[in-house]
Amino acid sequence: MAKYLAFDVGSKTIGIAKSDGFYPSTLKTIRFEENNFYQACELVEAIIKEENPQKIVIGYPKNMDNSIGHRAQMVEDFVSLLIDNKIWTEDKIEWIDERLTTKMARSILVEANVSRKKQKKAKDNLAAILILETFLVKISK
């Protein structure tokens, strides 16, 4: 069975979800010094080695007009570090448009009456699940 990991990359955290090919679930959120993607890569490398996925799915936060902004460039830089440091290969990366996943995650958490403090912790993982869900729907067609 194929195994996938999804990453919702931020400037201080990465939400990570996993799936055996059917259902996505939360794995963890890693925290690192702001914009220290070398540190983030080290943390992600350990998870990739432990989980041994077939592919990793990266949330790609384009601007609403489809242009590449600061956040999308930040994600591209992070993925380049993964590839350049031979942590992962480009051919095993899937990019998923995630323009609205963080907003959707917040909305779901508000609807579920999750406190603001808990929302902050849960939104990265939920966004990663939504990214992975989008990928799973895409490959099932």
Side-chain angles (χ1 to χ4, degrees), residues 81-131:
L81 283 175
L82 289 178
I83 294 166
D84 293 347
N85 289 301
K86 302 192 183 334
I87 295 169
W88 201 248
T89 59
E90 192 170 2
D91 63 320
K92 294 182 180 180
I93 294 173
E94 290 288 329
W95 295 87
I96 294 293
D97 184 346
E98 64 128 325
R99 281 179 260 197
L100 299 175
T101 56
T102 300
K103 188 175 184 176
M104 285 173 29
R106 272 196 202 111
S107 178
I108 290 167
L109 294 168
V110 167
E111 250 180 66
N113 291 319
V114 175
S115 71
R116 282 194 181 270
K117 185 177 181 179
K118 289 181 181 175
Q119 281 180 37
K120 195 170 190 175
K121 290 181 179 179
K123 79 172 171 50
D124 294 325
N125 284 338
L126 186 51
I129 286 174
L130 294 170
I131 290 164

Side-chain angles (χ1 to χ4, degrees), residues 4-104:
Y4 306 103
L5 292 178
F7 298 105
D8 178 49
V9 180
S11 61
K12 294 188 276 188
T13 61
I14 299 176
I16 305 172
K18 69 177 184 174
S19 173
D20 61 1
F22 292 109
Y23 304 105
S25 63
T26 296
L27 183 59
K28 67 183 347 181
T29 296
I30 59 169
R31 294 178 186 344
F32 50 93
E33 293 173 31
E34 189 164 13
N35 296 316
N36 186 345
F37 292 105
Y38 292 101
Q39 181 185 25
C41 279
E42 288 176 8
L43 297 168
V44 165
E45 181 177 22
I47 292 166
I48 288 173
K49 283 181 179 176
E50 183 179 324
E51 294 295 326
N52 193 27
Q54 178 180 334
K55 289 191 180 224
I56 61 172
V57 182
I58 304 290
Y60 194 47
K62 290 182 179 179
N63 292 327
M64 291 308 286
D65 66 0
N66 210 30
S67 64
I68 306 302
H70 171 72
R71 291 196 37 81
Q73 185 61 57
M74 178 186 72
V75 173
E76 287 180 12
D77 293 345
F78 169 73
V79 171
S80 290
L81 283 175
L82 289 178
I83 294 166
D84 293 347
N85 289 301
K86 302 192 183 334
I87 295 169
W88 201 248
T89 59
E90 192 170 2
D91 63 320
K92 294 182 180 180
I93 294 173
E94 290 288 329
W95 295 87
I96 294 293
D97 184 346
E98 64 128 325
R99 281 179 260 197
L100 299 175
T101 56
T102 300
K103 188 175 184 176
M104 285 173 29

